[in-house]
Amino acid sequence: MKMTPASLVDHARQEINEISIEQWQQNAEDFLVIDVRDVNELDKGQLPSASHISRGLLEFQILNHPKLAKLTDAEKAAANILLYCQSGGRSALAAQSLMNMGFNNVSSLAGGYNEWLKLTAK
């Protein structure tokens, strides 16, 4: 085996934009926020204004998202998308995948939903 799951995530993080919750909150209204966690994780809560597309279906469903479906290809490529999962690993891989599909402004939330819970618990 050449790569472990952890090394795949580390490699993805070198290629993507990862932002903090504070960075996202500065311009939250400018982002399409997508929760890539599994359905059974949603009962823990979601970030404000988040849509849900499971990591396993993201590449197949992203173009049908209501906020993207009617845009031109150039507008889709330029859309500000923030992905998050529970801890940031799956969203890093998902961001890398969307970048490979031609999305140019994709970010992964550093620390994921766990980081959001820490921040909101204060």
Side-chain angles (χ1 to χ4, degrees), residues 62-65 67-81 102-105:
I62 189 68
L63 294 174
N64 295 323
H65 189 284
K67 292 187 177 178
L68 296 176
K70 295 179 182 177
L71 299 179
T72 66
D73 287 345
E75 291 169 330
K76 288 174 187 173
N80 285 324
I81 300 173
F103 290 92
N104 299 317
N105 294 314

Coordinates of all heavy atoms in Angstrom, one line a residue, residues 62-65 67-81 102-105:
I62 N -23.2 17.8 -6.9 CA -22.8 19.2 -6.7 C -23.4 20.1 -7.8 O -23.8 21.2 -7.5 CB -21.3 19.4 -6.5 CG1 -20.9 20.9 -6.1 CG2 -20.5 19.0 -7.8 CD1 -21.4 21.3 -4.8
L63 N -23.4 19.7 -9.0 CA -23.8 20.5 -10.1 C -25.4 20.7 -10.1 O -25.9 21.6 -10.7 CB -23.4 19.9 -11.5 CG -21.9 19.9 -11.7 CD1 -21.6 19.2 -13.0 CD2 -21.3 21.3 -11.7
N64 N -26.1 19.9 -9.3 CA -27.5 20.0 -9.2 C -27.9 20.8 -8.0 O -29.1 21.0 -7.7 CB -28.2 18.6 -9.1 CG -28.0 17.9 -10.4 OD1 -28.0 18.4 -11.5 ND2 -27.8 16.6 -10.3
H65 N -27.0 21.3 -7.2 CA -27.3 22.1 -6.0 C -28.1 23.3 -6.5 O -27.7 24.0 -7.5 CB -26.0 22.6 -5.3 CG -26.3 23.2 -4.0 ND1 -26.8 24.5 -3.9 CD2 -26.2 22.7 -2.7 CE1 -27.0 24.8 -2.6 NE2 -26.6 23.7 -1.9
K67 N -28.2 26.4 -5.7 CA -27.5 27.6 -5.9 C -26.5 27.6 -7.0 O -25.9 28.6 -7.4 CB -26.7 28.0 -4.6 CG -27.7 28.4 -3.5 CD -27.0 28.9 -2.3 CE -28.0 29.3 -1.2 NZ -27.4 29.8 0.0
L68 N -26.3 26.4 -7.6 CA -25.3 26.3 -8.7 C -26.0 25.9 -10.0 O -25.5 26.2 -11.1 CB -24.3 25.2 -8.4 CG -23.3 25.5 -7.2 CD1 -22.4 24.3 -7.0 CD2 -22.5 26.7 -7.5
A69 N -27.1 25.2 -10.0 CA -27.7 24.6 -11.1 C -28.0 25.5 -12.3 O -27.8 25.2 -13.4 CB -29.0 23.9 -10.7
K70 N -28.4 26.8 -12.0 CA -28.7 27.7 -13.1 C -27.6 28.6 -13.5 O -27.7 29.5 -14.4 CB -29.9 28.6 -12.6 CG -31.2 27.7 -12.5 CD -32.3 28.5 -12.0 CE -33.5 27.6 -11.8 NZ -34.7 28.3 -11.3
L71 N -26.4 28.4 -12.9 CA -25.2 29.2 -13.2 C -24.6 28.8 -14.5 O -24.7 27.6 -14.9 CB -24.2 29.2 -12.1 CG -24.7 29.7 -10.7 CD1 -23.6 29.6 -9.7 CD2 -25.2 31.2 -10.8
T72 N -23.9 29.6 -15.2 CA -23.0 29.2 -16.3 C -21.8 28.4 -15.8 O -21.5 28.5 -14.6 CB -22.5 30.4 -17.1 OG1 -21.6 31.2 -16.2 CG2 -23.6 31.4 -17.5
D73 N -21.2 27.7 -16.6 CA -20.0 27.0 -16.2 C -18.9 27.9 -15.6 O -18.3 27.5 -14.6 CB -19.4 26.2 -17.4 CG -20.2 25.0 -17.8 OD1 -21.1 24.6 -17.1 OD2 -20.0 24.5 -18.9
A74 N -18.7 29.1 -16.1 CA -17.8 30.0 -15.6 C -18.2 30.5 -14.2 O -17.3 30.6 -13.3 CB -17.6 31.2 -16.5
E75 N -19.5 30.7 -14.0 CA -20.0 31.1 -12.7 C -19.8 30.0 -11.7 O -19.5 30.2 -10.5 CB -21.4 31.6 -12.8 CG -21.6 32.9 -13.5 CD -23.0 33.2 -13.8 OE1 -23.9 32.2 -14.0 OE2 -23.4 34.4 -13.9
K76 N -20.1 28.7 -12.1 CA -19.9 27.6 -11.2 C -18.5 27.5 -10.8 O -18.2 27.2 -9.6 CB -20.4 26.3 -11.9 CG -21.9 26.2 -12.1 CD -22.3 25.0 -12.9 CE -23.7 25.0 -13.1 NZ -24.2 24.0 -14.1
A77 N -17.6 27.6 -11.8 CA -16.1 27.5 -11.5 C -15.7 28.5 -10.5 O -14.8 28.3 -9.7 CB -15.3 27.6 -12.8
A78 N -16.3 29.7 -10.5 CA -15.9 30.8 -9.6 C -16.7 30.8 -8.3 O -16.3 31.6 -7.4 CB -16.2 32.1 -10.3
A79 N -17.6 30.0 -8.1 CA -18.4 30.0 -6.9 C -17.6 29.7 -5.6 O -16.7 28.9 -5.6 CB -19.5 28.9 -7.0
N80 N -17.8 30.5 -4.6 CA -17.1 30.3 -3.3 C -17.8 29.2 -2.5 O -18.9 29.3 -2.1 CB -17.1 31.5 -2.4 CG -16.2 32.6 -2.9 OD1 -15.1 32.3 -3.4 ND2 -16.6 33.8 -2.8
I81 N -17.1 28.0 -2.4 CA -17.7 26.9 -1.7 C -16.8 26.5 -0.5 O -15.6 26.4 -0.6 CB -17.7 25.7 -2.7 CG1 -18.6 26.0 -3.9 CG2 -18.2 24.4 -2.0 CD1 -18.5 25.0 -5.0
G102 N -12.9 21.4 -11.6 CA -12.9 22.7 -12.2 C -13.4 23.8 -11.3 O -13.5 25.0 -11.8
F103 N -13.7 23.5 -10.1 CA -14.1 24.6 -9.2 C -12.9 25.2 -8.7 O -12.0 24.6 -8.2 CB -14.9 24.0 -8.0 CG -16.3 23.5 -8.4 CD1 -16.5 22.2 -8.8 CD2 -17.4 24.4 -8.4 CE1 -17.8 21.7 -9.2 CE2 -18.7 23.9 -8.8 CZ -18.9 22.6 -9.2
N104 N -12.8 26.5 -8.7 CA -11.6 27.3 -8.4 C -11.5 27.9 -7.1 O -10.5 28.3 -6.6 CB -11.4 28.4 -9.5 CG -11.2 27.8 -10.9 OD1 -10.5 26.8 -11.1 ND2 -11.9 28.4 -11.8
N105 N -12.7 28.0 -6.4 CA -12.8 28.7 -5.1 C -13.4 27.8 -4.1 O -14.4 28.1 -3.4 CB -13.6 30.0 -5.2 CG -12.9 31.0 -6.1 OD1 -11.7 31.2 -6.0 ND2 -13.6 31.6 -7.0

